[in-house]
């Protein structure tokens, strides 16, 4: 028994000696990843959302048909597939949500290889449909010692150093597919140290953690992102004001591809944002600095894409959206309310190719909608409206195949009340990939 064990150990020792340089590098990288994730992330939390500098607390001004608008303005699934198959590009879409509001989504991802193992990446992402979002971006320097692992330094430089962000990331695998990426960002890192303008301070600082991944296996494709922001507090002693924040934002997509431009899938998004602005300064009217707010959103989209002929392509889908704004006016209980907008819709998209670089798209969206403002005080009358909304969109798209870009312009028509209010806004979108 002892001799047999000794012989086995000798064989293992020779094998390990032969591969010791490779094993040593793998061990160091693995240990680094374990330590990094343990220190930065700890146990993965269920509440997540990076602070996006949207620190105001406002009412909701969404209209009854707005979730039909959002679906019709967002990039169609074919464009989404092209975007996530690429390593870089930029895109922008915007459309009317009413007389005063515009849905806007902007995304950019610009990688530039400095050397075989070093890449500089500029990235930004912004979506606005329920409140104003300040523009944010990241500059990342990625070092890839192996095909299956990369490490990055990243940040958002600012003229005002109080607002500068710094962070690091680790990637296992390689984008766009079969990768897992962890990112940690310290926001407004030097705010307390370099704040010579007033005596405000963070306690603690905002910290953003981000997890994303994308995998494909046979005909299956899945993507997800998971953003974590630890709760923080910002204190303004001169204004006698305290701002606190926490929230969550999660996205997941699962698709089954069964042929060229043939797929069925499910996409899901959810966020839960909590803000509070509190002051003891007395004002004669309800103050926007004395509010507590919780914003909740859930969206589920089921879709099926299939070519109908050589020139025609069809999409059918079911989607549900539910948005809630739970607002508390801390200095006037009379104004406390719970707002929600719910929409369950069915939609169809017909895409017609009229030339190698020209397309028409026709989309029909029909939904059951429910909009409610429920006041907690009996002195305020609740607002409730449930109705059916139907929307038609007609879009024209021009492509530049050599440039891998597409421009689309859209007109929308209100079909549920056509003769009284036929016009329902429009949309312009552009996407280019590299």
């Amino acid at each position: 028994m002892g001799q047999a064990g000794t012989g086995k150990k000798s064989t293992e020792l020779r094998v390990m000696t032969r591969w010791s340089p490779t094993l040593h590098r793998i061990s160091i990288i693995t240990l680094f990843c374990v330590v990094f994730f343990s220190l930065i992330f700890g146990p993965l939390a269920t509440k997540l959302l990076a602070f996006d500098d949207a620190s105001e607390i406002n009412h909701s001004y969404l209209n009854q048909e707005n979730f039909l608008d959002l679906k019709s303005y967002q990039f169609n699934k074919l464009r989404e597939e092209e975007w996530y198959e690429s390593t870089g590009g930029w895109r922008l879409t915007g459309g009317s949500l009413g007389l005063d509001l515009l849905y806007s989504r902007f995304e950019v991802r610009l990688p530039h290889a400095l050397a075989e193992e070093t890449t500089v990446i500029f990235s930004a992402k912004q979506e606005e449909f329920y409140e104003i979002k300040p523009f944010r971006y990241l500059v990342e320097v990625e070092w890839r010692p192996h095909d299956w692992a990369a490490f990055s330094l990243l940040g958002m430089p600012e003229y005002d150093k109080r607002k500068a962000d710094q962070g690091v990331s680790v990637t296992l695998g390689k984008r766009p597919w079969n990768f897992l990426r962890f990112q940690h960002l310290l926001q407004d890192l030097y705010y307390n140290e370099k704040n010579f303008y007033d005596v405000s301070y963070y306690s603690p600082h905002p910290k953003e953690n981000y997890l994303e991944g994308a995998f494909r296996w046979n005909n299956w494709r899945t993507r997800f992102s998971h953003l974590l922001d630890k709760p923080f507090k910002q204190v303004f002693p001169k204004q006698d004001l305290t701002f606190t924040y926490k929230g969550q934002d999660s996205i997941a997509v699962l698709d089954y591809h069964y042929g060229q431009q043939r797929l069925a899938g499910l996409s899901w998004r959810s966020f839960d944002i909590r803000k509070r602005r509190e002051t003891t300064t007395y004002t004669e009217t309800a103050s926007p600095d004395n509010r507590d707010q919780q914003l909740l959103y859930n969206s589920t989209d089921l879709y099926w894409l299939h070519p109908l002929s050589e020139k025609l392509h069809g999409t059918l889908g079911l989607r549900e959206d539910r948005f809630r704004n739970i607002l508390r006016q801390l200095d006037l209980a009379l104004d406390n309310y719970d707002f929600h907008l719910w929409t369950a819709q069915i939609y169809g998209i017909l895409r017609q190719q009229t030339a190698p670089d020209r397309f028409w798209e026709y989309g029909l969206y029909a939904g059951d909608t429910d909009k409610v403002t429920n006041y907690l005080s009996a002195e305020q009358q609740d607002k409730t409206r449930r109705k059916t909304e139907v929307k038609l969109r007609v879009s024209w798209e021009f492509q530049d195949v050599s440039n891998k870009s597409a421009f689309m312009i859209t007109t929308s028509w209100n079909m549920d009340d056509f003769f009284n209010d036929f016009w329902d806004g429009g949309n312009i979108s552009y996407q280019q990939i590299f």
Side-chain angles (χ1 to χ4, degrees):
M1 294 285 292
Q3 292 178 349
T6 303
K8 182 178 180 180
K9 290 179 180 179
S10 300
T11 302
E12 293 176 349
L13 182 61
R14 287 195 298 272
V15 173
M16 291 182 66
T17 303
R18 185 181 307 165
W19 293 96
S20 58
T22 302
L23 289 174
H24 180 66
R25 288 194 295 269
I26 294 175
S27 299
I28 292 176
I29 294 173
T30 303
L31 179 60
F32 175 82
C33 293
V34 172
V35 173
F36 178 82
F37 299 145
S38 299
L39 292 176
I40 300 301
F41 289 91
L44 283 178
T46 57
K47 287 203 168 186
L48 12 139
L49 183 91
F51 179 54
D52 51 17
D53 286 343
S55 59
E56 301 299 320
I57 296 179
N58 298 305
H59 301 287
S60 296
Y61 300 101
L62 295 175
N63 292 327
Q64 199 93 17
E65 72 279 1
N66 278 164
F67 286 127
L68 275 70
D69 296 330
L70 257 65
K71 180 58 191 177
S72 67
Y73 296 156
Q74 290 170 344
F75 292 98
N76 63 42
K77 186 61 181 178
L78 295 176
R79 286 284 165 262
E80 288 282 293
E81 289 293 297
E82 293 176 354
W83 177 260
Y84 287 106
E85 289 286 347
S86 67
T87 57
W90 75 276
R91 59 181 181 170
L92 172 67
T93 182
S96 175
L97 295 177
L99 294 176
D100 304 310
L101 298 177
L102 179 81
Y103 171 75
S104 175
R105 181 181 176 184
F106 173 71
E107 195 168 359
V108 59
R109 194 171 61 232
L110 303 176
H112 178 70
L114 296 179
E116 185 176 353
E117 71 284 352
T118 307
T119 304
V120 176
I121 305 168
F122 175 86
S123 61
K125 189 174 183 180
Q126 184 184 42
E127 184 179 36
E128 296 178 289
F129 74 89
Y130 62 91
E131 69 176 358
I132 298 173
K133 299 286 189 181
F135 180 72
R136 296 179 56 80
Y137 65 92
L138 281 178
V139 178
E140 177 181 353
V141 179
E142 181 187 78
W143 174 61
R144 181 171 290 276
H146 297 278
D147 286 340
W148 53 268
F151 310 96
S152 298
L153 297 177
L154 50 94
M156 187 177 78
E158 290 276 357
Y159 174 76
D160 184 352
K161 290 185 178 180
R162 298 178 304 164
K163 306 297 292 182
D165 302 342
Q166 295 182 20
V168 294
S169 73
V170 176
T171 304
L172 304 179
K174 194 172 185 179
R175 290 177 282 191
W177 289 108
N178 299 325
F179 75 92
L180 190 65
R181 182 172 180 269
F182 302 88
Q183 173 182 301
H184 179 65
L185 188 67
L186 302 173
Q187 295 181 298
D188 298 354
L189 179 59
Y190 301 108
Y191 189 92
N192 292 353
E193 176 186 343
K194 299 183 180 298
N195 186 23
F196 305 116
Y197 303 93
D198 55 45
V199 292
S200 62
Y201 60 91
Y202 284 111
S203 177
H205 274 79
K207 296 179 182 179
E208 170 187 314
N209 296 328
Y210 182 64
L211 166 68
E212 67 170 331
F215 299 91
R216 59 183 179 185
W217 180 74
N218 292 335
N219 295 335
W220 292 95
R221 307 283 190 274
T222 184
R223 301 189 311 275
F224 63 88
S225 63
H226 188 79
L227 208 54
L228 166 68
D229 185 42
K230 296 183 179 180
F232 72 87
K233 178 170 66 174
Q234 190 173 13
V235 181
F236 301 85
K238 287 186 177 180
Q239 293 88 348
D240 190 23
L241 173 66
T242 301
F243 172 70
T244 57
Y245 176 93
K246 62 180 179 179
Q248 74 82 28
D249 196 344
S250 303
I251 299 174
V253 177
L254 178 64
D255 291 334
Y256 179 77
H257 291 245
Y258 58 95
Q260 182 69 21
Q261 295 189 343
R262 293 172 167 88
L263 67 92
L266 165 71
S267 67
W268 170 80
R269 184 185 179 188
S270 174
F271 63 68
D272 181 353
I273 304 168
R274 186 68 181 263
K275 306 178 189 179
R276 187 180 183 93
R277 298 177 67 89
E278 191 169 11
T279 179
T280 58
T281 302
Y282 174 77
T283 57
E284 294 183 357
T285 59
S287 171
D289 287 334
N290 249 334
R291 289 176 180 172
D292 184 277
Q293 180 184 60
Q294 186 175 16
L295 297 169
L296 297 152
Y297 177 63
N298 280 281
S299 176
T300 304
D301 194 358
L302 290 164
Y303 42 84
W304 175 52
L305 283 72
H306 192 85
L308 304 178
S309 68
E310 185 178 348
K311 300 293 184 181
L312 296 176
H313 186 276
T315 299
L316 287 176
L318 295 170
R319 173 166 168 157
E320 182 188 42
D321 294 88
R322 186 183 300 273
F323 175 82
R324 297 178 65 194
N325 181 3
I326 302 173
L327 191 142
R328 300 292 180 264
Q329 188 69 49
L330 303 178
D331 52 5
L332 184 62
L334 183 67
D335 290 347
N336 294 343
Y337 66 82
D338 296 344
F339 169 86
H340 92 255
L341 177 61
W342 168 84
T343 302
Q345 63 177 294
I346 182 171
Y347 62 89
I349 302 172
L350 180 65
R351 184 174 174 86
Q352 178 187 14
Q353 184 175 10
T354 57
D357 58 353
R358 302 288 195 278
F359 296 83
W360 285 95
E361 273 194 11
Y362 313 94
L364 184 63
Y365 309 82
D368 181 18
T369 69
D370 187 35
K371 181 179 178 180
V372 175
T373 302
N374 179 26
Y375 290 96
L376 274 61
S377 172
E379 300 180 34
Q380 290 269 46
Q381 185 176 0
D382 295 343
K383 301 175 183 178
T384 302
R385 189 185 189 193
R386 184 162 187 172
K387 67 185 295 281
T388 299
E389 293 283 350
V390 182
K391 175 175 180 170
L392 172 70
R393 78 167 169 94
V394 179
S395 305
W396 179 77
E397 183 182 84
F398 167 75
Q399 293 185 6
D400 183 347
V401 179
S402 62
N403 199 31
K404 296 183 179 180
S405 62
F407 171 82
M408 177 181 284
I409 186 169
T410 294
T411 60
S412 299
W413 306 90
N414 188 15
M415 303 304 293
D416 57 275
D417 193 17
F418 184 80
F419 294 103
N420 293 321
D421 184 21
F422 63 89
W423 177 248
D424 199 30
N427 162 244
I428 293 177
S429 65
Y430 177 82
Q431 175 172 300
Q432 181 178 14
I433 59 175
F434 309 128

